[in-house]
Amino acid sequence: IEIYSLHVDCKVTSRFAHTVITSRIVNRANESREATFEVELPKTAFITNFSMSINGEVYPGIIKEKAAAQNEYDTAVSQGQSAGLVKITGRKLEQFQVSVSVAAASKVTFELTYEELLRRQLGKYELLIKVQPKQLVKHFQIDVHIFEPQGIHFLETDSTFMTNELTKALTKVQNETKAHILFKPTLDQQKKNSEPDETLLNGDFVVRYDVKREATAGDIQIVNGYFVHYFAPQEMPVFPKNVIFVIDRSGSMTGRKIEQTRDALLKILQDLRPEDHFSFITFNNKVVEWKSSLLPATKENVASAAALVQTLSARGGTDISGALLAAVAALEKAPGLPERSVSMIILLTDGQPTSGERNVEVIQENVQRAINGKYALFCLGFGFDVSYKFLEKMALSNGGIARRIYENADAALQLQGFYQEVATPILMQIEMQYPENSIEGLTKNNFKLFFEGSEIIVSGKISNELDLLPVEIKAQSHTSNLTLKEEANVKEKEQVFQNQRYIFGDFTERLWAYLTIQQLLEEAISAQEEDQKALEAQALDLSLRYSFVTPLTSMVVTKPQQQEELANKPTEAG
């Protein structure tokens, strides 16, 4: 079985990435063989299309409601069930895999399309392409076309497998608003010197970039009546933070995990700003507060905290509830915190609650009642013994996010990386306002916090013939209350995308649908049951209308001989 052509074609228009992977395979044997198409794609992406062509016959994947697809599938496979097509393979990726039998001397072409909105983190967007052909490929090519009307500020490529020889196969052409990256290694360039049949192409191919920004109320882009508004202010004063680290030191954290936690906390302590206030709560079945109150992050206090961190050891049970409520109480009673400041609780745990209150629903309710919208709660789940669903619901209900920390060699870096994302809050209570009677289907437009290096994205449909789209942004910065205003000329904005060779038509509409589905699913996590059903019904409707494989839909792939397989979207909560 030979892959004679593999082409990754990625078009990024205003952060919305549309990737098509085409693999052509030939069976050179004189009997039928199994051909496998295997792609790792970002977890944040939604598959939108898949097809196989075998000897001119096309077998498309059909996207259906998950329950309906499952019933159909169960009927078709009542004997000898085959596995699903998609599974999570790492912290950023999931794997799509399908195999099909190919007759002697026949060919098969696989084509997979997926889309995602690139998220700005720590001042850059990252497009990740996993390269793993597992054999030498005669025609191998990666094309990345980027079009950013705001202008490209910087652009870099990075890869885990580059050699001097392979670097010659990489070209980058860029002007003010467009870039084209081409990676096209010959067979010789792909070969490992030591083993000429082995390929060097194995790992990540990453494109990172950022766009230019004017110091205004962000940037608005409009195509076919759908607008998208990007807002990422820069160079603003940073709010002082009041942070309580709530650290699990129960028995299961013993060994590597507690060591990595210590390493990460020592680095994070160094990153605190002098105007920040902080404290530690450690917990097993007992909850221990480092100090009776939050302390300013002076050199002496940081050194004293570092000494405590060095002595962290793990044993005993897990009283998550007691620890979180103690953290809230500490913030409530802390004297002398700066008036304009951001208070947050960062919980790190690797297990289920086994001491104190154990009912996760009761814990969620008690914590939400105690926090009462005043503080942000971030939940980090270490490893796979945590109830991620519980942590995610608790974080989303309290203005924060949850993140899984993978038990790898770089766990300490993952923890530090997370802290860096939330270390510099520069705006609070952000309201993005648009003319109410002219906009339909507006995505989330109120945000509690904005961290430097990230980006707020709001999208919607302009419902009547507007010539000008006015926007107003209200927010609190450390020094003042801001009001920013901007007017977008609809005709002019539409003009920007006319005649663009590699725009995929209705990208703003698909971006709007993608963002709406993501937000509905996120909202559903922390909603009451009836609301949850309504939110999921809306998300399902959009997933089907725009053909996205989301956690609510499945793609049914029918192979020759009527054999069916299912592609489902896995979630971090399982």
Side-chain angles (χ1 to χ4, degrees), residues 281 289 291-294 326-337 375:
I281 289 177
E289 297 191 50
K291 298 283 186 211
S292 55
S293 182
L294 281 85
V328 177
L331 283 169
E332 292 282 314
K333 64 172 202 264
L337 296 181
Y375 319 123

Side-chain angles (χ1 to χ4, degrees), residues 202-442:
N202 182 10
D204 299 343
F205 183 82
V206 184
V207 178
R208 294 191 189 91
Y209 73 94
D210 198 16
V211 300
K212 294 179 176 162
R213 291 182 175 81
E214 304 300 319
T216 57
D219 188 74
I220 293 172
Q221 293 170 19
I222 303 170
V223 178
N224 298 340
Y226 283 83
F227 81 88
V228 56
H229 182 185
Y230 300 99
F231 179 54
Q234 287 162 301
E235 291 163 19
M236 300 192 80
V238 176
F239 277 105
K241 298 188 297 299
N242 314 310
V243 193
I244 298 193
F245 298 97
V246 180
I247 306 296
D248 184 342
R249 56 181 173 89
S250 61
S252 54
M253 286 285 288
T254 308
R256 189 81 181 280
K257 285 189 206 164
I258 202 83
E259 279 168 32
Q260 291 174 317
T261 302
R262 283 199 298 254
D263 291 348
L265 288 173
L266 291 170
K267 296 273 189 343
I268 288 169
L269 282 169
Q270 299 306 317
D271 288 344
L272 287 169
R273 297 162 187 271
E275 61 274 17
D276 292 340
H277 286 68
F278 75 108
S279 189
F280 276 95
I281 289 177
T282 60
F283 69 96
N284 44 23
N285 39 332
K286 291 197 187 71
V287 174
V288 179
E289 297 191 50
W290 171 53
K291 298 283 186 211
S292 55
S293 182
L294 281 85
L295 298 183
T298 61
K299 271 206 170 71
E300 297 74 30
N301 289 338
V302 166
S304 153
L308 162 90
V309 167
Q310 297 280 21
T311 64
L312 270 183
S313 62
R315 57 179 163 279
T318 312
D319 183 1
I320 292 176
S321 177
L324 285 175
L325 294 174
V328 177
L331 283 169
E332 292 282 314
K333 64 172 202 264
L337 296 181
E339 193 172 308
R340 272 185 183 250
S341 59
V342 170
S343 296
M344 53 175 82
I345 297 168
I346 298 178
L347 166 70
L348 172 68
T349 178
D350 76 333
Q352 319 269 359
T354 60
S355 311
E357 179 56 67
R358 292 175 201 183
N359 179 323
V360 291
E361 277 154 14
V362 175
I363 298 175
Q364 280 160 350
E365 278 169 29
N366 291 346
V367 167
Q368 195 170 348
R369 194 177 308 120
I371 289 180
N372 197 15
K374 289 179 290 205
Y375 319 123
L377 171 62
F378 297 96
C379 296
L380 304 178
F382 206 145
F384 281 86
D385 297 331
V386 290
S387 166
Y388 191 82
K389 234 183 183 134
F390 158 61
L391 295 179
E392 187 173 40
K393 181 170 180 176
M394 206 157 50
L396 291 172
S397 306
N398 295 290
I401 57 170
R403 185 72 57 85
R404 193 188 295 281
I405 302 297
Y406 281 73
E407 289 182 55
N408 297 352
D410 69 343
L413 286 173
Q414 293 175 55
L415 287 165
Q416 268 168 268
F418 170 79
Y419 174 75
Q420 278 164 349
E421 283 176 53
V422 298
T424 45
I426 55 176
L427 290 178
M428 282 169 78
Q429 312 304 346
I430 305 109
E431 285 179 38
M432 315 278 284
Q433 298 172 344
Y434 308 87
E436 265 174 40
N437 49 359
S438 312
I439 301 293
E440 285 171 27
L442 189 63

Side-chain angles (χ1 to χ4, degrees), residues 126-170:
E126 182 177 285
L127 178 74
L128 170 59
I129 296 169
K130 187 78 175 177
V131 178
Q132 245 178 343
K134 296 185 177 169
Q135 55 170 268
L136 298 170
V137 178
K138 191 172 181 183
H139 304 286
F140 180 94
Q141 187 168 336
I142 295 176
D143 273 292
V144 178
H145 286 276
I146 297 174
F147 174 49
E148 287 289 350
Q150 282 171 265
I152 295 169
H153 171 53
F154 80 87
L155 174 76
E156 61 185 30
T157 57
D158 190 9
S159 135
T160 53
F161 52 79
M162 274 301 167
T163 57
N164 288 343
E165 199 51 39
L166 280 172
T167 310
K168 296 175 191 167
L170 179 69

Side-chain angles (χ1 to χ4, degrees), residues 231 427-431 473-477 480-483:
F231 179 54
L427 290 178
M428 282 169 78
Q429 312 304 346
I430 305 109
E431 285 179 38
I473 302 173
K474 292 192 159 141
Q476 296 172 15
S477 81
S480 63
N481 289 348
L482 303 177
T483 302

Side-chain angles (χ1 to χ4, degrees), residues 537-548:
Q538 264 178 285
L540 171 64
D541 179 54
L542 284 172
S543 303
L544 291 170
R545 195 177 343 149
Y546 289 94
S547 79
F548 285 126

Side-chain angles (χ1 to χ4, degrees), residues 439-484:
I439 301 293
E440 285 171 27
L442 189 63
T443 59
K444 181 177 169 168
N445 65 329
N446 284 324
F447 303 86
K448 270 192 157 165
L449 291 171
F450 176 80
F451 298 101
E452 191 170 46
S454 66
E455 182 168 56
I456 284 174
I457 302 178
V458 182
S459 182
K461 185 180 180 183
I462 301 170
S463 55
N464 54 18
E465 292 297 310
L466 275 189
D467 296 328
L468 291 173
L469 173 65
V471 269
E472 184 169 295
I473 302 173
K474 292 192 159 141
Q476 296 172 15
S477 81
H478 177 39
T479 48
S480 63
N481 289 348
L482 303 177
T483 302
L484 305 169

